[in-house]
Amino acid sequence: MSVPSGQRSASRRALLTAAPAVLLVVLVIGAALLTALLQSLGFLPVFGEARFSTEAWADGASLLESAGVSLYLATASTALALVVGFLVAAYALTAGRGGRLVAALSAATIPIPHLVASGAIGLLLADAGFLARVLGMPEGFPQLVGDSWWAAVILEFAWKESAFVALVVLGGIGRPVAELTETAATLGASARQRMLHVILPLARVPLGVAGLVVFVYTLGSYEAPWLLGPVAPEPLSVRAVRLFGSVDLSSRPEAMATALTSVAVALAVIGLGLLLTRRSRRRSRAQSGVSS
Amino acid sequence: MTRHRPRTRTQKHLMILPSLAAGALLLSACAGGSVAAPEEFTDFDAVLDAAQGQTVDLWMYGGDEQGNTYVDEELAPAAEELGITLRRVPVTDTADALNRVLNERQAGREDGSVDLVWVNGPTFSTGRQAEAWRCGWTEMLPNMEHTDPADPLLSDDFGTPVNGCEAPWHKAQFTYFYDSEAVAEPPESLPELIDWAEANPGRFTYPGPPDFTGSVFLREVMISQAGGAGEIPLEFSAESFAEHSPAAIETLEELAPSLWREGATYPRDEQALNELFNDRQIDIGMTYGPARLTELVDSGALPASTRVMPMEEGTVGNASFLAIPVNAQDTAGAMAVANLALSPAQQALKADPEVWGQFTVLDVEGLDSADRSRFEELPSSPVVPSYQELSRNAHAELGFDWVPALDEAWRESVARR
């Protein structure tokens, strides 16, 4: 495909404009990652002689187990956040005043810090928490906080991140979609059909991008799994912070190895995600080309 | 403002400069730096002179309301009279303060932002290993003469010799407590406590190590299984670890199904344990800060039926200290505050259960009569017995290296059950 020269110079200008910001990010993150890598390999010890050692990476089984927990948490939270976020956005777009209220309420949860939200979820869902008390402490109240399914953690992430997903979808497809759904309605489409055949195809790219952001965020997030999850096994983030803060200074390289594993997993997911979104974007462009 | 004007090319270049500088700064930080020799003082008067106008940042665990209030409303005004501004920096874990010191040293900073730290044994030992603490300064403090030089709690901290690298602040005794409404006949020793937990499934648990309190409980179980404090060498070695740790781990593995949540998980820290206790989910709790119990009961964080449960064989005790990092910016001020905190007036005030209730490190018998009467006139707490009673048959902490080794063994076995 040949690109017109005007477009090429425009993209070069865009690149130049972004360069200072990109350079700063690359320098800061690059330096941080380099430091982490050096520390994980035994250089830059807190005390004593620096010497090369791969000891911190030797406990592969624990790293893999933690990565597994992290991936499970991120996948479950992202899936739930995408479904709920999409439903909120679809409702907000089609339900008039009520929809705007739901959109406003959902947007209002965005500034709440995850730590505060985790505390609130803990108070609500704990064994003797608010919900259990309101229900009169029933025998069969499920164990949600600190359980082996990480239920409270996933709920916390899904709640907070669904608001973010809804915001991105609303911003991504905007008001024109309301007209499209109205047209579809006049042509006799049911609510279900409008959602699945009008809104969902349009929202696919924003959903993909938001899903990627949510996935990477929950993968690296520490507060909710630490506060609401069981003591063991632990996700990468919790393991990294525990080892970094350990009174045993020789566990710092291991903390760095854990953090770097988390970075590697996140980068792999971002790469895969970008590939898929690009393909899906190309496909939707091709489809719209056929229909017009 | 020129925000809306398009930037010229030179401006664009200028914007790159700070980012390069930031990167270079970070990279140079990685290279590490050396720390200059700390400044020396000839005597304590010189310290007081140098301390004039200094601002001392005291980094301490911030989750203790009474402790925060004591420092803000009693210690800080007293420091103000010496011409020193005392600023309390709350941290969630004492290790955070040490981490800050180490990171600043790695970055080559000599005007460190941490001047004084309320340290516990593990943090002190770790800092000693990394040579992060200033040493040999406590003998200069005039108020050190009120302490007993033969007191083993003040000369060794978790098996690490103190060597004048930290000034004592208060004493603590590991203490169990129970809900007197739920438990008619409380256990009187650790083996009895374990039997009680097995007989009352779901009514007992302990914070999961590496939490400080949970970690102490782990060591207490090991000592109890070994047949007493005298049976385990204080100094860590792989042989003694292999000899003594399996019995403790086995006991806790067998106990786990009888714990809260069948031992599938553990409360995260002492605060989470107290919440379970207050929610009446468990009937027995534990703490290394019995002094706080009075206030916790008063404020409703623990039920009014909370009672201390003394152990026949005694529990572990230690002292906590104030340490000064080698790269502290306001060293003289920090020394003056450490001396002030050791004064009979401040120690007596701090020992009042209404104020903080922390047990004194001073040798009360050796004080002059006016100072002694300050301690004798202290009100007693309805919840907490006196230090003499609590510390009966007390034993010392094991060497620091036992702590991470045992915590890790627990994590690999009991936590994964």
Side-chain angles (χ1 to χ4, degrees):
Chain A
M1 232 195 320
S2 72
V3 183
S5 66
Q7 199 175 329
R8 198 182 298 156
S9 80
S11 74
R12 190 180 300 157
R13 203 175 306 136
L15 203 69
L16 270 178
T17 322
V22 171
L23 203 65
L24 184 68
V25 169
V26 166
L27 264 176
V28 170
I29 295 188
L33 287 178
L34 186 68
T35 316
L37 184 68
L38 288 177
Q39 282 199 33
S40 81
L41 292 174
F43 304 109
L44 304 174
V46 183
F47 65 94
E49 285 294 299
R51 76 188 163 83
F52 174 75
S53 145
T54 53
E55 229 169 85
W57 295 89
D59 192 2
S62 304
L63 279 178
L64 268 182
E65 184 195 50
S66 289
V69 176
S70 287
L71 279 173
Y72 160 70
L73 280 179
T75 311
S77 311
T78 309
L80 203 58
L82 284 179
V83 171
V84 176
F86 174 69
L87 290 178
V88 168
Y91 184 74
L93 282 171
T94 51
R97 192 182 296 165
R100 279 198 292 279
L101 185 72
V102 168
L105 278 179
S106 123
T109 64
I110 289 179
I112 302 174
H114 271 275
L115 188 60
V116 175
S118 303
I121 290 270
L123 289 176
L124 182 71
L125 298 181
D127 292 4
F130 184 72
L131 201 58
R133 280 167 204 243
V134 165
L135 297 175
M137 306 283 282
E139 275 294 298
F141 189 79
Q143 292 174 352
L144 298 169
V145 174
D147 67 317
S148 50
W149 291 103
W150 301 76
V153 183
I154 293 169
L155 285 174
E156 195 276 339
F157 280 141
W159 166 47
K160 284 276 298 157
E161 297 306 322
S162 63
F164 170 74
V165 171
L167 196 75
V168 173
V169 170
L170 283 175
I173 60 179
R175 286 282 137 197
V177 85
E179 285 161 32
L180 282 177
T181 51
E182 272 162 35
T183 317
T186 353
L187 292 173
S190 69
R192 198 184 128 89
Q193 282 172 325
R194 273 175 282 160
M195 193 180 282
L196 290 181
H197 298 296
V198 180
I199 304 180
L200 186 58
L202 284 169
R204 204 162 58 202
V205 171
L207 275 179
V209 173
L212 209 54
V213 173
V214 171
F215 190 93
V216 172
Y217 177 80
T218 46
L219 190 79
S221 180
Y222 158 79
E223 304 97 322
W226 180 79
L227 258 175
L228 302 172
V231 170
E234 44 188 4
L236 289 168
S237 54
V238 175
R239 182 179 146 94
V241 174
R242 174 177 63 82
L243 290 170
F244 184 75
S246 168
V247 287
D248 185 6
L249 289 178
S250 55
S251 52
R252 270 218 185 169
E254 258 188 283
M256 294 305 162
T258 313
L260 287 174
T261 309
S262 172
V263 172
V265 173
L267 284 180
V269 170
I270 291 176
L272 193 73
L274 283 183
L275 208 72
L276 288 177
T277 0
R278 191 160 297 166
R279 189 176 298 166
S280 127
R281 190 176 288 170
R282 205 174 299 146
R283 200 170 47 201
S284 62
R285 204 177 292 150
Q287 275 170 357
S288 63
V290 169
S291 62
S292 60
Chain B
M1 288 284 281
T2 58
R3 202 174 353 170
H4 298 293
R5 197 151 22 106
R7 290 201 163 88
T8 63
R9 184 159 295 191
T10 40
Q11 272 174 321
K12 245 182 240 163
H13 282 295
L14 282 176
M15 281 163 68
I16 298 173
L17 278 177
S19 47
L20 279 174
L25 207 75
L26 265 164
L27 285 170
S28 71
C30 310
S34 62
V35 173
E39 51 178 328
E40 299 299 335
F41 301 97
T42 46
D43 56 14
F44 195 68
D45 285 332
V47 171
L48 282 180
D49 280 346
Q52 286 299 318
Q54 289 195 339
T55 299
V56 174
D57 289 298
L58 165 61
W59 289 52
M60 59 183 267
Y61 171 68
D64 183 342
E65 277 308 319
Q66 265 187 309
N68 295 344
T69 314
Y70 162 73
V71 170
D72 292 346
E73 292 177 9
E74 307 292 350
L75 195 59
E80 197 73 65
E81 283 171 24
L82 298 173
I84 301 164
T85 311
L86 179 62
R87 201 158 53 186
R88 182 173 58 80
V89 182
V91 287
T92 50
D93 189 337
T94 310
D96 294 349
L98 177 61
N99 261 331
R100 178 64 170 262
V101 173
L102 296 174
N103 289 341
E104 285 184 355
R105 280 188 70 203
Q106 222 168 22
R109 256 189 82 173
E110 278 153 39
D111 56 340
S113 51
V114 186
D115 297 317
L116 196 59
V117 188
W118 178 25
V119 288
N120 54 32
T123 320
F124 174 68
S125 302
T126 307
R128 282 281 282 157
Q129 217 178 0
E131 293 170 6
W133 307 128
R134 187 189 177 95
C135 285
W137 55 276
T138 55
E139 55 260 44
M140 210 197 300
L141 306 184
N143 284 328
M144 275 301 279
E145 69 169 34
H146 300 307
T147 62
D148 177 1
D151 190 339
L153 289 185
L154 304 189
S155 54
D156 276 289
D157 192 1
F158 273 74
T160 306
V162 168
N163 282 348
C165 306
E166 49 176 3
W169 203 16
H170 34 250
K171 285 186 179 173
Q173 192 68 38
F174 194 60
T175 305
Y176 301 89
F177 52 90
Y178 69 102
D179 182 348
S180 58
E181 274 177 18
V183 186
E185 284 177 36
E188 287 174 356
S189 67
L190 192 47
E192 275 184 37
L193 169 60
I194 287 172
D195 290 343
W196 181 92
E198 276 168 356
N200 298 273
R203 306 302 299 175
F204 177 73
T205 190
Y206 51 92
D211 171 72
F212 189 71
T213 309
S215 182
V216 179
F217 180 70
L218 201 55
R219 298 196 290 281
E220 289 290 87
V221 170
M222 181 173 75
I223 289 171
S224 165
Q225 289 297 314
E231 302 299 317
I232 297 183
L234 293 187
E235 195 164 334
F236 176 86
S237 69
E239 295 83 62
S240 2
F241 184 74
E243 187 185 342
H244 295 294
S245 69
I249 296 295
E250 212 170 287
T251 309
L252 291 176
E253 272 184 322
E254 280 168 21
L255 178 65
S258 315
L259 294 178
W260 171 76
R261 285 279 188 90
E262 287 97 44
T265 189
Y266 291 80
R268 201 148 291 291
D269 48 26
E270 192 180 324
Q271 174 142 10
L273 185 80
N274 286 351
E275 273 165 29
L276 288 179
F277 187 87
N278 201 31
D279 286 343
R280 312 274 163 130
Q281 295 209 62
I282 54 169
D283 298 322
I284 293 180
M286 62 190 78
T287 177
Y288 218 138
R292 292 185 63 203
L293 290 176
T294 316
E295 193 262 344
L296 289 173
V297 169
D298 279 350
S299 69
L302 290 179
S305 48
T306 305
R307 296 287 176 275
V308 162
M309 192 169 90
M311 293 275 152
E312 248 166 39
E313 73 273 34
T315 59
V316 65
N318 77 2
S320 61
F321 296 77
L322 294 170
I324 302 177
V326 274
N327 66 342
Q329 190 179 21
D330 302 295
T331 308
M335 288 181 186
V337 169
N339 183 60
L340 176 70
L342 255 182
S343 65
Q346 287 291 331
Q347 287 274 322
L349 191 62
K350 186 164 58 89
D352 185 341
E354 292 286 306
V355 179
W356 197 2
Q358 292 284 8
F359 307 125
T360 182
V361 288
L362 302 183
D363 176 20
V364 176
E365 298 305 313
L367 294 175
D368 63 41
S369 60
D371 282 335
R372 202 165 51 230
S373 64
R374 286 181 203 263
F375 287 93
E376 281 157 3
E377 284 161 14
L378 284 177
S380 63
S381 156
V383 187
V384 189
S386 69
Y387 178 71
Q388 279 69 24
E389 207 169 313
L390 275 178
S391 63
R392 191 172 298 145
N393 296 333
H395 51 263
E397 277 287 0
L398 297 174
F400 160 69
D401 288 328
W402 282 98
V403 180
L406 209 52
D407 287 355
E408 197 49 37
W410 182 88
R411 166 166 291 283
E412 290 301 322
S413 55
V414 185
R416 285 180 185 278
R417 225 176 35 85

